């Protein structure tokens, strides 16, 4: 590999520096950390800032195979590279290339790592690649992403950020999540049987009389874990009481507090007529051997 720092002219503008960095990474044949780090930092900064056209520029550069090669090695470049992949995974042109370039398999392998900061970015990358993509979801499932995500979740459930990213990845693998998870706040709920863990995601911002709740259940049976993802809807007692009042032919009482409607859970789980327009109501179960 040529010494990029010596052979490349000093860029005179920010645009030139980005172009030089992308070119340097895309033509690298040897992964020399000291040489690649400044270029990687430049590209990562631009990706985080979401500069217009950067995704298309990187998609055309052939940079992903090099990033996959970096991910397969243990080095100081691994974490910033995963962060870069997680940022690039927001864009369809990059997302579509992740499997053929080896990014997907490298991410699944990295789920065995013990570095919690690294795992956070790996989960974010997986969640974004899988978001609303049945093809990518199927690829991750075949590579065994679910049991590894379940293992990370159980080992690091006390790390709130890592727990949230892991749950989002599981939800997106079930095609029942969102792109970045910023709208959901997760907590661990009560469990009703031995070997079961229940996590509940509720919207940080609730409007009107109803809200959506995402439930992720992990249950151990005979050495295996089943991971169940459900999306439920709940409403206020005010709305529930008003509905009952109309059915009985009289006005409902004026309730001063709001709560959940447990009966509505069952109704919506069984009826497709009440599904919100923006989200299909399903329950997806993964059976995984840990």
């Amino acid at each position: 590999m040529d010494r990029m720092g010596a052979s490349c002219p000093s860029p005179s503008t920010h645009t030139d520096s980005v172009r030089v960095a992308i070119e340097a990474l895309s033509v690298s044949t040897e992964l020399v950390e000291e040489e690649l780090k400044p270029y990687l930092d430049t590209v990562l900064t631009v990706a985080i800032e979401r500069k217009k056209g950067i995704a298309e520029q990187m998609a055309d550069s052939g940079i992903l195979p090099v990033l996959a090669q970096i991910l397969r090695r243990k080095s100081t470049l691994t974490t910033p590279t995963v962060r870069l992949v997680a940022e690039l995974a927001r864009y369809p042109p990059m997302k579509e290339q992740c499997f053929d370039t080896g990014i997907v398999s490298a991410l699944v392998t990295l789920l065995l790592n013990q570095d919690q900061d690294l795992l956070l970015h790996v989960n974010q990358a997986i969640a974004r690649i899988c978001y609303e993509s049945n093809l990518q979801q199927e690829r991750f499932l075949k590579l065994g992403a679910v049991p590894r995500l379940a293992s990370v979740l159980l080992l690091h459930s006390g790390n709130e950020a890592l727990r949230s990213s892991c749950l989002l990845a599981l939800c997106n693998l079930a095609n029942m999540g969102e792109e970045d998870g910023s709208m959901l706040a997760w907590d661990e709920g009560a469990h009703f049987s031995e070997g079961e863990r229940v996590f509940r995601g509720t919207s940080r911002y609730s409007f009107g009389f109803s809200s959506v709740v995402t439930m992720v259940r992990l249950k151990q049976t005979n050495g295996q874990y089943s991971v169940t993802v459900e999306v439920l809807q709940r409403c206020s007692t005010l709305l529930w009481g008003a509905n009952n009042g109309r059915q009985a032919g009289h006005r409902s009482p004026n309730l001063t507090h709001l709560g959940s409607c447990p009966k509505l859970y069952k109704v919506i789980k069984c009826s497709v007529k009440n599904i919100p327009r923006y989200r299909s109501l399903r329950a997806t179960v993964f059976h995984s051997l840990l």
Side-chain angles (χ1 to χ4, degrees), residues 108-128:
V108 174
T109 300
L110 285 174
L111 287 172
L112 298 174
N113 201 288
Q114 297 300 312
D115 186 321
Q116 295 186 37
D117 184 51
L118 174 65
L119 288 170
L120 171 65
H121 299 300
V122 171
N123 291 342
Q124 290 173 339
I126 292 174
R128 289 167 184 166

Side-chain angles (χ1 to χ4, degrees), residues 50 90 120 123-124 127-128 131 160-161 163-169 171-172 176-186 201-207 212 214 279:
R50 304 186 195 180
R90 298 177 187 273
L120 171 65
N123 291 342
Q124 290 173 339
R128 289 167 184 166
Y131 180 64
E160 183 177 352
R163 179 185 66 192
S164 297
S165 68
C166 195
L167 288 165
L168 177 64
C171 289
N172 284 6
M176 299 173 72
E178 55 185 45
E179 186 173 13
D180 60 8
S182 60
M183 295 294 290
L184 290 178
W186 290 94
T202 55
S203 175
R204 297 180 187 273
Y205 312 100
S206 297
F207 303 96
V212 172
T214 302
R279 187 187 295 265

Side-chain angles (χ1 to χ4, degrees), residues 217 230-233 262-272 274-275 281-283:
R217 290 184 175 87
E230 296 177 281
V231 176
L232 311 171
Q233 188 180 40
K263 291 184 180 179
L264 192 59
Y265 287 170
K266 184 176 181 180
V267 172
I268 290 187
K269 286 173 67 177
C270 298
S271 172
V272 297
N274 295 323
I275 297 175
L281 188 67
R282 292 157 295 176

